[in-house]
Structures are given as C-alpha cells and as structure tokens.
Amino acid sequence: VFWARELATHSPELFEAQIKGQTISEITRRGKYIVFHLTHDFMLIHLKMTGRLYVSPAEDFSGDADRWLRVSFRLENQHELRFADTRKFGRVYLTPSLAEVIGKLGPEPLDDAFTLNDFTSRLAKRHGRIKPILLDQTLLAGVGNIYADEALWVARIDPRREVSTLNQDELSMIYHAVRQVLQQGIDNGGSTIDTYRKPDGSKGENQERFNVYDRMDQPCPECLTPITKIWLAQRGTHYCPVCQT
DNA sequence: CCAGCCCCCTGTCGGC
DNA sequence: TGCCGACAGGGGGCTG
C-alpha cells in the first residue's frame, strides 16, 4: 500500500494481514464498483475519476500508470494486480459483507429485471431536476456524468426538467436512453477523455461517439445548434437547447 | 428530501 | 516563459 487513504475500510497493516493468502474466485461488477470474490471476503474497488487497474510482471514498474501506483497485490504467478490513481479519489474496500458497501445502490439499469415500471415508480418518489437525480446511485447504479448527459440528449429531455413534469412517454424515452447509452459505452470499451484505460492499457472508443458530453459550442448532431454547457449540482452539463425540451 | 457549497487530490489548459 | 485560476469520468458531508 503506497497511499493509505485509498483503503476505505482498513489500515495498511490490517488490510495486508487480512487479504494475504486469499484466492480470487470471481470478479464481477455492481454499479461503479468492481467486486473481487475472495476466500473469506469481498474486495471492492471504485476507480472514481482517474483509477486504473492492470496486471504487470512483479518488479517491473515501467508501465505508464506505475507513476501513480497506490496499491499493488502480489499474485502467485510472479505478476501483480495494480491499482494506480492520479487524483487519489479511488477507494479499495475489504469486507465479508457486500451490503456494507453497496447495500444502498439502486438497480442495475441493464438487468432484464429492471423494467420501465420500476424506473417510473422509483422516480415518482423523487423531487427535483432530472439530471442530478439520474446521477444519484441509489436511484440507479452506474449512471455517471457522461452517460446522464448523453441519455438525456437521446431522450430529447432538458436536463433541468423537474421530474414531476415528465409524462409517461418521456419517462419511457429516458428509461430506454439510459440503457442504450450504457450498453453503447460498454460495447465501445468505455470513454477515454484523459486517463481511463482498459486493463490492457488501450483506450476506450466511446468518447468518439459523444453527442453532447465535452462538446460545448460544437454542433448538435441532430440540428446543428451549438451545444450549451451549464452547471447543475456542481457538475458540468451539456445539452442541445433546441432538441432537448 | 433537495439545493448549494466545500472538500478530498493531481494534472492540464487557457488567459494574461 | 511563467504564473494563476478554472476545470476534470465521483461522491461524502455539511447547512439551510
């Protein structure tokens, strides 16, 4: 452990003692958390803004990201699982109880079990503007700033709309748009704006498919009106002032 | 329950 | 060229 505050649940000493010798049986995902299933515990990693996960040969620190190495795990095969993180916002959790870390997350938007009715009934309990609410991980798990903006463009909804004013058609549009843009992001290997890399070090491709995110003053792909950027809940928000109403 | 603000950090970029 | 402020894929905590 090279940066202790990256560990959310343990001191470096206790973390090392507890995880040593455990076997990784499976790696899954819940919302924005990567979940390592260990012999006695779960280890969860949240990359936040600049986290990177990759495997390198032990003793070899020549990789691009090694300069920002925060936590490294020695594996059995002379390799290391490494977590690098420029801004140090990322977190590593170690716990026998998954619910302790991710118990309050909303449903997985891409699950078959997640229906339009689920979405509508969850939103019905909320008040406020649609964009900040889409970012709330207890409503849905996994929608971040890029995908909230992109989904609302696909749905043609103004990010400042009060959720109470959305009709059934509009809720359906948002529901389908969220699933569409998330699936597209996965299919395209994620969005590399700056630091994001796949485990093999290559860049994602989804940033080349952005319609509004990071495109202030560039033409809307639909109507050619310049994309507007505003701030909502302290997050940059991009939308087409003509298409999205 | 929601909005607004600060904070956690480092790096990059634009303006002067 | 150098400095300074603004801003960046997230989210917790506080106040009002």
Side-chain angles (χ1 to χ4, degrees):
Chain A
V1 175
F2 303 105
W3 185 254
R5 272 181 282 179
E6 211 95 347
L7 302 180
T9 53
H10 289 65
S11 67
E13 295 75 21
L14 290 176
F15 183 86
E16 290 174 17
Q18 186 170 328
I19 201 168
K20 186 174 181 180
Q22 295 202 46
T23 297
I24 303 169
S25 59
E26 193 181 7
I27 305 172
T28 58
R29 179 194 61 77
R30 178 77 173 92
K32 299 179 187 177
Y33 295 83
I34 298 161
V35 183
F36 294 78
H37 300 238
L38 308 180
T39 308
H40 303 295
D41 293 300
F42 296 98
M43 178 174 74
L44 297 94
I45 295 184
H46 195 310
L47 304 177
K48 296 285 180 82
M49 310 273 274
T50 54
R52 289 176 58 174
L53 271 180
Y54 53 100
V55 174
S56 299
E59 322 295 348
D60 175 1
F61 294 95
S62 61
D64 292 343
D66 290 326
R67 174 177 170 196
W68 298 285
L69 187 58
R70 307 303 182 202
V71 185
S72 191
F73 304 86
R74 180 68 60 91
L75 306 174
E76 287 183 317
N77 60 357
Q78 302 306 116
H79 284 63
E80 293 179 3
L81 170 66
R82 292 185 180 158
F83 182 37
D85 180 19
T86 307
R87 291 181 68 183
K88 300 177 175 171
F89 289 166
R91 289 294 178 269
V92 179
Y93 305 78
L94 183 63
T95 173
S97 164
L98 266 189
E100 200 170 285
V101 181
I102 56 174
K104 292 179 177 171
L105 285 185
E108 287 291 323
L110 294 177
D111 269 3
D112 290 341
F114 176 64
T115 64
L116 172 58
N117 277 345
D118 292 332
F119 181 62
T120 301
S121 61
R122 296 181 77 85
L123 266 188
K125 298 168 189 155
R126 304 296 300 268
H127 298 275
R129 295 170 297 193
I130 183 63
K131 154 97 189 255
I133 288 173
L134 281 181
L135 292 177
D136 183 343
Q137 301 299 297
T138 68
L139 179 87
L140 297 181
V143 178
N145 205 35
I146 291 172
Y147 298 97
D149 283 4
E150 292 296 318
L152 290 172
W153 181 83
V154 169
R156 302 295 188 256
I157 300 294
D158 187 312
R160 299 164 297 180
R161 279 282 292 283
E162 294 288 327
V163 293
S164 61
T165 71
L166 296 167
N167 65 33
Q168 267 306 315
D169 281 352
E170 291 171 327
L171 290 166
S172 174
M173 293 280 282
I174 297 169
Y175 165 83
H176 289 290
V178 164
R179 289 166 53 106
Q180 178 189 317
V181 300
L182 288 177
Q183 188 61 56
Q184 179 193 292
I186 292 168
D187 293 344
N188 289 324
S191 305
T192 298
I193 294 163
D194 184 13
T195 59
Y196 176 72
R197 295 293 185 282
K198 302 181 212 180
D200 70 2
S202 64
K203 297 182 179 183
E205 309 281 335
N206 197 56
Q207 67 282 2
E208 294 162 24
R209 301 283 183 283
F210 288 169
N211 291 298
V212 286
Y213 187 82
D214 205 19
R215 296 195 64 245
M216 181 174 64
D217 294 336
Q218 296 177 55
C220 169
E222 182 67 28
C223 74
L224 305 184
T225 303
I227 298 303
T228 296
K229 182 176 185 182
I230 60 172
W231 269 261
L232 276 186
Q234 282 69 246
R235 311 297 299 277
T237 298
H238 314 73
Y239 69 103
C240 172
V242 172
C243 293
Q244 296 176 248
T245 57

